[in-house]
Structures are given as structure tokens and as C-alpha cells.
Amino acid sequence: MAEESRIQHSHSHQNQLEEERLDVLTKTGNKTGISKPRGEVHRDGDYHRAVHVWIFAESTQQLLLQRRATCKDSWPDLWDISSAGHISAGDSSLVTARRELEEELGVTLPKDAFELIFVFLQECVTNDGKFINNEYNDVYLVTTIDPIPLEAFTLQETEVSDTKYIAYDEYKRSLAKEDSDYVPYDVHGQYGQLFDIIEKRYKENTVARSLTLQKQLSRYAPVSLNVELTGLTDSDKEALVFIVKAAAVMDEIFYLQSWYSNPALRDWLKEHADTSELNKLKWSYYQINKSPWSSLDEDDAFLTTADSAIRMLSKATRTIREWKGLEYRAAFPMLKPAGANFYPPDMDKMEFNIWNDSLGKDQQKEATSFFTVIKRHSESILDSGLSNDKVGSSGDLYIVPYSEEYKSLLAKAADLLHKAGDISNSTSLKRLLHSKADAFLSNDYYDSDIAWMELDSKLDVTIGPYETYEDKLFGYKATFEAYIGIKDDEATAQLKLFGDNLQLLEQNLPMDNAYKSKYVNAAPIRVIRLLYNAGDVKGPQTLAFNLPNDERIVNDRGTSMVMLKNVSEAKFNHILLPIAGACVAKEQQELVDFESFFTHTICHECCHGIGPHTITLPNGQKSTVRLELQEFHSALEEAKADIVGLWALRFLISQDILSESLLKSMYVSFLAGCFRSVRFGLEEAHGKGQALQFNWLYEKGAFVLHSEDTFSVDFSKIEGAVEGLSREILTIQAQGDKEAAGLLLQKYGVMTEPLKVALQKLENIQVPVDVAPTFPIADKILQ
């Protein structure tokens, strides 16, 4: 499968006869760090990797096959995959797929034409036992609209003797009856997925699909968030116009951060939304998720590449008279990529870690920074069409700062923020807008984050790269977002109480005194009414956020918090009250109230600021909780803020700082809230963290399930259970114990029977899972 060609291609500057080397894998498909010549790999039966690329023509439902050259050492003269080949030692999957297609067939396609559909393990022995093939194949699908004319291909003679198109179902039948003209694949085994995926995609019942999308959409209650602007000065109202426009640019960047073909998909769906009822539903649901993956369904794709944008290339192949060129679908994978668009799509953790270990200290900081993306030299070389000499010793990966990666968009946003800063007459807002605009261009966010913390203005603005939830590979990379609101002065004044007591809470935390901070900075809290949000605000809407995430500032200055009161009210009314009606025992239902719900939300955010952040490991080394717990950090930190928040409310009541009247209602409101958050899905940090808490409290008897499938709080057990879980989580964080974090989430962060019972009830009565806000003021500005 296109192996020999690679030797001459990749190593043309070496001796042409030198045999291509392959990375040797473990039986489970991980790299061993050893590479061997190709012949020895097949002689010894070593596991290794290859790519399969299928070209599928949508209009004729045909797959392209190539006939293997007579001189091939396996399956000569038989019809086979459109294009395939080994992944050479040190090479990557997608780059190999693109290169094989170019070498064997003369088809040059960008990376967004390739959809990774599955990985297939082929284990077989041929040539009388002399050729042992234990091969992991990354199977890619390239979807063209029409078949590429056969005369447009440039065949590589040492590899390919002919090409033909064949209907995919006819090809499947030929393989099933083991037709001797075709290289054999087991269509009843793993390889059957190729045909299943195509069939499901193109034989779809549009009525059924519309119903599914309608049901997915109905989980969001539409709410219009209209805000009074009466408190704003005229100059702030003028500045607001530019700020809203800058916020809309954050949206543009976020679409790109999710996946590289996402902006094309968005534009395509929008353009075709009015052509049918189904297309309208696709667009509506896409707007909520901002990607083809559904936030509430553990990131399952609700669209396929067949729904995606059609792109046209006039120079992808040799030119044929009368043929205008190749049209293809901008692909996206069915499984949401863990690294989003922050890393090369075919990079894994191991490759990153090996490369990162080879860098100097400063570069390691850059590589793991919030504000950089990681790219491949070999990909850039392919994109620019230069000849590929092997990448230097520092490896294939390299670092690009956000200021460069999103340069044109950030320049546009910076310009708008500078204009707003010039107009505003609030000193602190002026400083924030100008410093944030500068940060967009310099990639240094320190000053602008400090300015954000010190913001004291009626018009409240949060804009920039902050949360790292989208980077599910490492949790390093920040997404762009914006929240614009009007400060609620009265509610903000009430909240000072929590900030004033943070040090007292830290001293009394249920964990070993050795882990406690002597000095905690109270997170200043601002309560706003949200007027517009943009960027990474997809799916479930946030009630509050605690920023910045930059450890340097957290250590020096603590954090600041913004609470979105009108979003809280919308969720309480549309979601929490109906949930309580269905899932909370009758006699405790009246204990669910907005004040308790909102107060716990505040306390949750405050508690992000206490407990371990910078820690000393058992070996004496300094580190941070985020660095040590890696992919478990977000879920555990959300659970900590929640459960320690509940502990803290109880503590403040015992000190007569809060009213005793909150006591029972805060526990019952929390119980109802558990079901609300778990419905976000256990892939999401808040959902997983909430499942952990619910299951722990249920196991300890603090939550009780009754015969009519309702739950109540056992007030005699809840305090001990809350304190126990708080201690457990805080200690894991303080010790930076990744293994313990993983085990705790594995045991409790799961969908258990009692949770299923509650979720089934809510499904039956169709309580919305979240709200989908519209923003009349911003919409008017952006029209």
C-alpha cells in the first residue's frame, strides 16, 4: 500500500535504496519508541501504523478503487483502497494520508477534506508466512460531490496500474463473496463500518432526523434577556456599540478554535437554513452548540460531513478540458477531537510530551501556555507546496502565539476596543479596554487581567481568552469569550460579606492545617445583568465565572468573580422549579427557593478562591493543582467549589454571619440543583463533578430515594457527608494526587441508578435542561 514510494520521497537526500523505517507499536497501538526497517517489521510481525484513504463520490454513491501494480510484494494486480501507505517513523497520520494521495493519484487536497472515520486493526499472514501484517490503519474518508474524472489522476507507476469507480454496495457485495479480483477485507468485521457509515449518512429518513433535532432543541428554553440601560451615561452607551461589536469577533475566533472546518460549516448552514425545515433545525441547533457536536449529548455529532460546506478546488488534479475542478465537503470527525483546533489533529499526548521534554524551560512554558497553539512543520510544508526535507531535530511540532494565529481577527477587535476606550469616561473601564486591546496584539494578558480585576464601572466587560474546558487533551489552551452586562449595585453590595470572610473559611476548611494558606485574597464579586455573551458560551449557559485562570495573578492577587443574576433567575424559573416539582419529596418542595440557589452559586464561585492552588509535592517540589491533576482538574475543581460551598454556607450560619433560615432550603435547593447539572452530560466538567457529589451524598444516606421516585434530604446526615467529601477532594488537591483524583471520579462521577431514575422522570415530563438566551439590545447593535 504505497509503501516504497515514501522511501524515495521522504528520504530523497539519503541513499535511495535505504529501506523505510516504521515505528514499532505495542499490541494496543502505542508507540514503543523503537523503529525498524519495513522488511523486518513484516518479517517479525511487529505492530505498526498505516493510513487508508477512501474517495467517495456523493452524487453517484461510488468509491474510487486503485489497481495495485504488478510489482507489489503483497496483493499484486488486485483492486484496493483509493490510496494507502505506511506511516514512516516520526511521521504523522494526516500528513501521510495527504501525501499518499498526492503521490499515488496526483490529487492534492487540504486537511479539511479528510475525515478520520475509524481505526482498523488488520492482523494477517500472507506469502507463505513470510509477510506478517499487524497493522493499525487510520481510515480516512474524502467526500467529493461528483466522481473525479479518471483521466484527471496522475498514477504512480510503481504503485498503481489503474483506477475505477464502483457503487459502494456493489463493492461491499464483492468483498462479502471474497471475489478474487479484490484485496480481501472482512465486511462483517471492523471494516464493515465504512459501508455502515456511508449508508446511514445517505439513506437517512429526513422526517425522523427532524424529530430528533426538534427533541434536542426542546431541551433549551428560549429566554430573552432584556436589560435596562437607564444607569449608563451617554458616553458608556456610545462605547457599548463598539464593545458589542468586539465581542462578536470573539465568536469568530471561537468557531475556529473548535475545529478548523467549523467556520465553513457555520456559513454553509446559515446560507441554507431557509431551504427546508430540516436545514432550519440544523442551523438552530448548531447556533446553540457552535459546532457539529452536541454539548448535552456528551459531544455526540448531530451533523455529519454530508451536511457540511462544499468547497471548490480548480487545481487539485491535472487539468481536464470541460471539467471545472474538484468539489469536496469540508470534513469534520464524528468524534469530537480532544485537542480541538489547538493541536494538530493527529497529535497524541505522547508525541506532545516527548517534544515538550526536548524543549528548554522557557519554551516549555510557551508550549503549555494558555495563549499558544501547536502546529506541525510537515503540515505547513504540505500547505505551502514546498518540497519536504525531513524536519529538524527539534521535532515536527512548533509553537504559534494567539496574537499571530488569529492576527486579523484580534486586530479588528483591538481597534473596536480602543475606540470604545476613547469614548468611555469611566477611568477603570477605559483602562480595561485599552489594555485588553493591547494584549490581543502582544499576547501578554497580565496587565489587562489586573485591569479586569480592578474594574469598577456600571458597564461591566469581560473579554478575551479564559476558560480551558475545550482542550480535553491537557486543559492548557484558553478559548475566547465575552460577557457584557450592567452592574447590579444593590446585589453586589450584599455580596461583600462572602469576600470579607474568605480567610476565616480557609482557616476552618476540613483538611490538614499544613495545607492551608496563611493568606487568602477575597475574590471581589460583581453581580451583573447580562446584556450579551459571545465566543465560548455554547450549550449550557454559565451562571457565574471566576477569573483570571493565570496562576501568577491568582497567587499575587487572587481572583474576581462575576455573577449573572438574570441568567440565574431564568434557570431557576424555567428549570429548577419544574425539577423540584418532579424529583423532590412533596414535604420538602417549598424549601427550594431562589435566594438559596443564588447564594450557593455565589458561594461556589468564592470557594474556587480557597483551598489548594499552588502546592508542594511530597518530594518537596513546587507545583500547581492544575498541572498535577491534568485532565481530572476541571471536574474535581467544580466539585470542590460546589461541595465546599455548601460546607461554607453551613459554617457561616454557625458563626451567625448568615441567617439560620437558609439552612434547610440550601440543602434541598442543592439537591434539586444536582439533577439540573448532571443533565449537562458527564463529559462536561460541571456535570461530572455534580455526579460525584450526588453519588457520594446518596451513598452516605444524606440523600434518600422514596418509593414514588422522589428524593429528600436527611438533615441528620447531610452535614457529615458534605464535610467528608470536602475533606476528600481538598486533600487530593493539596497532595496533587492524580491517581486518587482519577479513582474518585471513576467511582462516583458516573451515571448511577438513582440518577437514572431522576433523569428519566425529567425526560418524561420534558423539563428543559438549560436556557438559550437572545439579546435584543446586542442584536439591534449588530444588525
Side-chain angles (χ1 to χ4, degrees):
M1 301 173 183
E3 296 97 350
E4 295 85 348
S5 65
R6 294 297 311 284
I7 307 156
Q8 289 143 32
H9 176 85
S10 313
H11 308 269
S12 53
H13 56 291
Q14 296 175 0
N15 178 343
Q16 296 250 329
L17 299 170
E18 190 182 314
E19 197 176 1
E20 175 185 29
R21 295 184 78 84
L22 306 180
D23 285 315
V24 175
L25 309 181
T26 63
K27 199 172 173 168
T28 50
N30 295 317
K31 284 186 184 170
T32 57
I34 301 166
S35 72
K36 284 165 64 168
R38 174 180 167 267
E40 291 178 26
V41 164
H42 284 297
R43 181 197 68 201
D44 302 341
D46 292 313
Y47 286 83
H48 59 284
R49 284 179 78 202
V51 293
H52 289 185
V53 182
W54 285 101
I55 294 181
F56 175 73
E58 216 174 61
S59 62
T60 59
Q61 302 280 289
Q62 289 174 313
L63 288 164
L64 176 76
L65 299 188
Q66 62 156 271
R67 184 172 229 148
R68 295 170 69 80
T70 315
C71 59
K72 298 290 286 180
D73 61 2
S74 57
W75 315 111
D77 280 332
L78 300 191
W79 290 101
D80 200 3
I81 302 155
S82 314
S83 166
H86 281 133
I87 300 176
S88 297
D91 275 1
S92 70
S93 168
L94 182 58
V95 169
T96 302
R98 292 174 64 185
R99 213 154 42 192
E100 289 299 334
L101 201 55
E102 197 173 327
E103 287 172 11
E104 295 187 355
L105 302 178
V107 181
T108 309
L109 291 175
K111 68 177 177 183
D112 73 347
F114 294 78
E115 176 189 358
L116 180 63
I117 49 176
F118 60 93
V119 178
F120 160 64
L121 175 57
Q122 189 175 21
E123 296 174 295
C124 64
V125 181
T126 54
N127 299 4
D128 303 324
K130 293 195 189 85
F131 191 91
I132 308 170
N133 198 31
N134 289 325
E135 191 168 76
Y136 277 93
N137 296 288
D138 292 347
V139 183
Y140 289 94
L141 187 65
V142 170
T143 305
T144 64
I145 304 306
D146 298 310
I148 300 165
L150 298 183
E151 60 272 28
F153 295 119
T154 307
L155 305 186
Q156 182 180 19
E157 287 168 20
T158 54
E159 298 286 329
V160 186
S161 59
D162 201 0
T163 51
K164 71 170 181 181
Y165 274 99
I166 181 170
Y168 79 92
D169 43 2
E170 185 190 330
Y171 176 51
K172 183 182 177 181
R173 284 195 296 274
S174 301
L175 290 177
K177 62 172 201 263
E178 298 180 14
D179 186 320
S180 60
D181 281 344
Y182 297 91
V183 174
Y185 293 100
D186 180 6
V187 293
H188 305 298
Q190 288 178 299
Y191 224 85
Q193 292 176 82
L194 170 68
F195 305 99
D196 297 345
I197 286 166
I198 292 172
E199 185 146 357
K200 186 167 182 245
R201 209 164 268 193
Y202 293 99
K203 290 202 170 161
E204 193 165 46
N205 172 344
T206 50
V207 178
R209 187 154 181 216
S210 294
L211 284 171
T212 303
L213 279 167
Q214 260 159 349
K215 197 172 170 196
Q216 287 177 304
L217 264 169
S218 70
R219 295 176 298 180
Y220 288 91
V223 295
S224 173
L225 296 183
N226 223 338
V227 182
E228 288 297 318
L229 296 183
T230 39
L232 289 188
T233 63
D234 288 345
S235 69
D236 277 351
K237 283 181 191 165
E238 256 183 89
L240 178 65
V241 173
F242 291 107
I243 295 168
V244 166
K245 287 178 176 170
V249 179
M250 300 303 107
D251 241 15
E252 295 293 317
I253 301 176
F254 177 66
Y255 280 108
L256 191 55
Q257 288 184 307
S258 302
W259 186 245
Y260 45 82
S261 55
N262 197 30
L265 171 65
R266 176 201 55 192
D267 297 345
W268 178 263
L269 291 172
K270 185 177 182 180
E271 190 188 327
H272 292 81
D274 295 336
T275 54
S276 72
E277 183 55 34
L278 176 58
N279 284 346
K280 187 175 160 189
L281 289 167
K282 286 182 199 170
W283 173 234
S284 301
Y285 198 51
Y286 177 88
Q287 284 176 282
I288 287 175
N289 292 285
K290 299 195 174 186
S291 85
W293 302 288
S294 171
S295 299
L296 288 180
D297 301 293
E298 317 219 321
D299 290 331
D300 262 4
F302 60 92
L303 298 170
T304 72
T305 293
D307 302 308
S308 191
I310 295 175
R311 310 197 96 165
M312 168 81 189
L313 293 173
S314 53
K315 293 193 169 66
T317 61
R318 71 159 69 158
T319 327
I320 300 291
R321 287 179 63 139
E322 308 297 307
W323 184 55
K324 63 182 191 297
L326 186 152
E327 286 186 305
Y328 70 93
R329 293 271 186 192
F332 53 85
M334 292 181 291
L335 287 176
K336 185 174 181 182
N341 194 20
F342 301 120
Y343 308 94
D346 51 4
M347 183 203 86
D348 57 19
K349 282 181 142 177
M350 186 169 169
E351 182 185 1
F352 179 89
N353 288 331
I354 290 171
W355 167 71
N356 193 38
D357 289 344
S358 76
L359 302 174
K361 274 276 180 282
D362 286 350
Q363 274 203 296
Q364 286 184 350
K365 253 203 167 99
E366 282 291 287
T368 58
S369 149
F370 289 121
F371 315 126
T372 60
V373 294
I374 308 301
K375 304 196 119 175
R376 274 194 196 291
H377 288 296
S378 51
E379 206 176 276
S380 314
I381 288 164
L382 266 181
D383 289 342
S384 63
L386 298 169
S387 74
N388 179 22
D389 261 357
K390 277 303 236 197
V391 180
S393 59
S394 63
D396 195 12
L397 303 176
Y398 67 99
I399 302 163
V400 182
Y402 280 6
S403 50
E404 199 178 305
E405 179 70 1
Y406 312 118
K407 193 172 183 174
S408 58
L409 290 166
L410 287 172
K412 183 176 162 188
D415 182 50
L416 290 160
L417 290 185
H418 277 314
K419 284 183 172 141
D422 291 342
I423 295 168
S424 172
N425 50 17
S426 148
T427 320
S428 68
L429 181 59
K430 224 181 187 39
R431 183 181 155 214
L432 170 72
L433 297 170
H434 286 308
S435 65
K436 194 59 81 174
D438 293 341
F440 283 165
L441 305 181
S442 70
N443 218 47
D444 180 355
Y445 286 88
Y446 191 90
D447 290 344
S448 69
D449 277 346
I450 299 283
W452 178 82
M453 290 183 74
E454 292 173 354
L455 180 63
D456 181 16
S457 128
K458 189 72 180 169
L459 181 55
D460 198 273
V461 179
T462 302
I463 186 166
Y466 284 110
E467 301 295 2
T468 61
Y469 299 122
E470 221 31 29
D471 175 2
K472 292 205 164 48
L473 210 54
F474 292 108
Y476 293 150
K477 306 300 174 193
T479 45
F480 282 83
E481 60 185 55
Y483 290 88
I484 300 162
I486 308 295
K487 190 158 140 200
D488 181 329
D489 295 312
E490 190 187 341
T492 299
Q494 284 173 344
L495 293 185
K496 209 172 149 332
L497 166 116
F498 285 98
D500 292 347
N501 287 288
L502 271 196
Q503 188 64 56
L504 179 67
L505 289 171
E506 174 81 24
Q507 279 159 9
N508 287 279
L509 278 176
M511 67 172 174
D512 197 310
N513 285 333
Y515 302 137
K516 293 178 185 175
S517 297
K518 302 284 171 283
Y519 185 67
V520 174
N521 268 319
I525 308 174
R526 319 198 280 261
V527 181
I528 66 168
R529 295 196 163 263
L530 184 66
L531 175 153
Y532 181 53
N533 67 11
D536 187 1
V537 292
K538 64 182 193 314
Q541 294 295 302
T542 191
L543 295 175
F545 49 85
N546 191 9
L547 295 171
N549 287 325
D550 185 329
E551 301 282 353
R552 298 173 303 169
I553 298 177
V554 176
N555 292 334
D556 300 346
R557 304 286 299 264
T559 56
S560 258
M561 187 189 335
V562 176
M563 317 264 324
L564 314 175
K565 193 165 185 186
N566 52 347
V567 179
S568 289
E569 287 165 350
K571 291 203 191 204
F572 183 81
N573 294 327
H574 287 277
I575 300 160
L576 207 70
L577 286 177
I579 285 177
C583 294
V584 173
K586 276 273 184 290
E587 66 279 6
Q588 290 190 355
Q589 277 180 14
E590 77 280 0
L591 289 168
V592 178
D593 64 8
F594 179 69
E595 190 198 352
S596 305
F597 173 67
F598 192 59
T599 309
H600 179 256
T601 309
I602 296 162
C603 210
H604 167 108
E605 295 303 335
C606 284
C607 287
H608 277 304
I610 59 175
H613 284 286
T614 301
I615 56 175
T616 306
L617 299 176
N619 64 8
Q621 195 187 332
K622 285 258 188 278
S623 186
T624 65
V625 179
R626 183 188 290 272
L627 271 176
E628 294 306 316
L629 300 190
Q630 290 185 331
E631 69 270 25
F632 303 131
H633 173 262
S634 290
L636 212 60
E637 178 57 29
E638 289 308 326
K640 175 203 88 173
D642 243 359
I643 201 75
V644 174
L646 210 47
W647 168 85
L649 290 177
R650 175 70 194 98
F651 178 79
L652 293 172
I653 292 169
S654 72
Q655 303 291 302
D656 293 334
I657 294 170
L658 286 177
S659 154
E660 184 84 37
S661 65
L662 264 176
L663 191 58
K664 288 187 168 175
S665 65
M666 74 183 194
Y667 289 129
V668 183
S669 300
F670 178 79
L671 167 63
C674 282
F675 303 126
R676 186 182 73 84
S677 298
V678 168
R679 297 167 85 207
F680 298 150
L682 300 193
E683 286 302 296
E684 200 265 349
H686 298 78
K688 201 173 190 66
Q690 196 76 65
L692 157 64
Q693 297 167 78
F694 175 87
N695 291 326
W696 175 287
L697 296 173
Y698 182 81
E699 183 187 273
K700 304 289 185 258
F703 290 160
V704 183
L705 175 58
H706 301 284
S707 54
E708 65 281 15
D709 288 349
T710 59
F711 293 81
S712 65
V713 175
D714 181 335
F715 295 114
S716 70
K717 292 184 180 160
I718 184 93
E719 282 178 30
V722 166
E723 186 166 321
L725 181 55
S726 299
R727 175 175 287 108
E728 183 81 12
I729 294 176
L730 289 165
T731 306
I732 287 174
Q733 289 185 324
Q735 294 172 347
D737 189 341
K738 186 178 176 184
E739 190 188 356
L743 289 170
L744 186 69
L745 285 164
Q746 195 185 338
K747 181 175 177 187
Y748 292 102
V750 291
M751 192 53 75
T752 53
E753 254 339 286
L755 278 177
K756 282 184 193 151
V757 165
L759 296 191
Q760 192 50 57
K761 270 190 108 162
L762 300 179
E763 178 79 10
N764 295 344
I765 58 168
Q766 301 249 302
V767 176
V769 176
D770 212 74
V771 294
T774 48
F775 303 104
I777 293 170
D779 289 346
K780 213 163 161 180
I781 290 172
L782 294 171
Q783 257 161 23

